[in-house]
C-alpha cells in the first residue's frame, strides 16, 4: 500500500513503486489516492509483460489497514526510523513461510501518520538513512524472498527478454 | 553515473538515485546533465546525515566512461536486457574485492545509447522485467556488498537514527 501520494508530484515515483512491486513478486498495489494515470501505466506493463498484478486506487488507507489486520493479515511499514531489516527479516519471513501470514507492505511519501507506526506489526528500516521508498520496497521484497523473485517467470507475457551480455533480445509472443 | 536525465521530469527520480547511491555505499554520483537542484538536495542530505558522498553534474557521459576504462576502471551498466544479476554478481564482486577494481555503475533513464552496452564490462539485469532504475541500483549495491552496507555508520553526521520497533528517535549531534 502506497500512502501519501500527491497528484502530479508523485506520479512517476508511485509508478516506480508499483512496477517494483509487480517485478519483485507482490500480488498488487493499493493506492491511497485516486490517480488513474498511475494505474494505467502499471496495467499497461502487466498487459505486455505478463502476470496478474492488480492496482486498486482510491483506497482509504486507515480502513484498509484495519480490515487487513481484522482478517488476520500482518502489516509491515517501511520507514527509516524502524528496526534494521537485517535484524527482523528472518522473523518476518518465518511468519510468511511457516505461518502463511499475508503481509501488507506500507510505504509512505513524506509524512506518515503516527497511527501507521502503531498499527504496523513491524516498522522496518532498509538502512537507517534517508533514501527512497522505491529502493526500500525492492530490498524488502528481495530479502523476504531471498532473491528467488529475480528469476520468476510471468504468465501470459506478450514480451519476454532473453538475458544477454551485450545487446537486446526480446521474444514477442502471441497471447493465448 | 546517471545518464539521460531530463530537467524537471526526472528531478525526483534522479534525486532518489543519488540518495540510494549515498545510503548504500557508493562513493558519489556523476550526472550527465546540468541540474543544480538535484545536486543541492543530495548535498543537503549528506550535510545532515554524514559521509562524504559527492555529486558532479554536467558530466559528458561517453567521455567519462572512456576515461574511467582508460584508467583501469570497470563499467557495469544496469539494464533489464542484460544478464541476470544472480548469474554475474559473484564475478563482479570478485573483480571488486580480489582485484580491487573500481566499478562505475551506469544507469539510464528511457533510452540508453548502444555504445554504453558495448563499452560496459557487464550489462546486468536486476530481474529481466521493467521496473525502476532506483530499485535496480539498490539491489545491485546490496548484492555487491552482501548487505554490509545496511549497517554502515556515516561520519560527521549531525543526525542519526536510533532504530526502533515503534516511533521515531533521532540523535542530534554538534558537528565537530
Amino acid at each position: 500500500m502506497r500512502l501519501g501520494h500527491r497528484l502530479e508530484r508523485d506520479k512517476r515515483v508511485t509508478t516506480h513503486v508499483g512496477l517494483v512491486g509487480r517485478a519483485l513478486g507482490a500480488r498488487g498495489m493499493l493506492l491511497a489516492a485516486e490517480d488513474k494515470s498511475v494505474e494505467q501505466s502499471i496495467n499497461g506493463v502487466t498487459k505486455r509483460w505478463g502476470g496478474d498484478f492488480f492496482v486498486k486506487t482510491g483506497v482509504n488507507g486507515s480502513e484498509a489497514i484495519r480490515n487487513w489486520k481484522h482478517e488476520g493479515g500482518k502489516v509491515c511499514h517501511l520507514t527509516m526510523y524502524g528496526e534494521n531489516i537485517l535484524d527482523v527479516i528472518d522473523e518476518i519471513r518465518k511468519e510468511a513461510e511457516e505461518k502463511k501470514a499475508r503481509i501488507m507492505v506500507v510505504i509512505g511519501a513524506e509524512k506518515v501518520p503516527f497511527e501507521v507506526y502503531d498499527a504496523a506489526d513491524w516498522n522496518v528500516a532498509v538502512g537507517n538513512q534517508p533514501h527512497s521508498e522505491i529502493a526500500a520496497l525492492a530490498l524488502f521484497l528481495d530479502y523476504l524472498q531471498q532473491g528467488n523473485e529475480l528469476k520468476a517467470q510471468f504468465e501470459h507475457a506478450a514480451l519476454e527478454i532473453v538475458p544477454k551480455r551485450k545487446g537486446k533480445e526480446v521474444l514477442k509472443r502471441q497471447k493465448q
Side-chain angles (χ1 to χ4, degrees), chain A residues 68-147:
Chain A
W68 185 263
K69 294 189 70 167
H70 186 72
E71 290 162 10
K74 296 282 181 181
V75 174
C76 180
H77 171 221
L78 302 185
T79 163
M80 68 175 182
Y81 299 101
E83 291 179 289
N84 197 296
I85 188 171
L86 300 177
D87 299 327
V88 290
I89 194 67
D90 290 343
E91 179 189 327
I92 301 174
R93 194 183 309 107
K94 213 168 181 176
E95 285 282 334
E97 289 180 357
E98 292 177 17
K99 302 194 189 161
K100 306 289 172 209
R102 294 159 67 227
I103 295 178
M104 175 192 282
V105 184
V106 180
I107 288 161
E110 307 222 313
K111 278 269 179 188
V112 171
F114 204 76
E115 62 179 50
V116 173
Y117 289 81
D118 265 346
D121 295 284
W122 302 278
N123 287 287
V124 175
V126 179
N128 295 101
Q129 290 287 326
H131 55 93
S132 162
E133 60 270 37
I134 300 166
L137 176 62
L139 286 166
F140 178 80
L141 291 173
D142 182 72
Y143 271 91
L144 186 67
Q145 300 166 96
Q146 302 184 293

Side-chain angles (χ1 to χ4, degrees), chain A residues 12 14 27 37 49 57 74 84 95 97 99 105 128 166 168 174-176:
Chain A
R12 299 193 58 228
T14 299
R27 291 264 297 113
S37 73
W49 295 91
T57 61
K74 296 282 181 181
N84 197 296
E95 285 282 334
E97 289 180 357
K99 302 194 189 161
V105 184
N128 295 101
K166 302 264 179 197
K168 300 181 184 181
Q174 291 293 101
K175 282 218 178 193
Q176 280 121 19

Side-chain angles (χ1 to χ4, degrees), chain A residues 43-64:
Chain A
N43 287 344
V45 169
T46 300
K47 203 171 168 192
R48 293 190 297 282
W49 295 91
D52 53 4
F53 189 80
F54 70 84
V55 179
K56 194 172 164 192
T57 61
V59 170
N60 176 322
S62 318
E63 200 179 291

Side-chain angles (χ1 to χ4, degrees), chain A residues 47-48 50 154-160 172-176:
Chain A
K47 203 171 168 192
R48 293 190 297 282
F154 284 70
E155 297 198 327
H156 355 278
L159 298 174
E160 191 180 320
K172 293 186 186 169
R173 289 228 174 73
Q174 291 293 101
K175 282 218 178 193
Q176 280 121 19

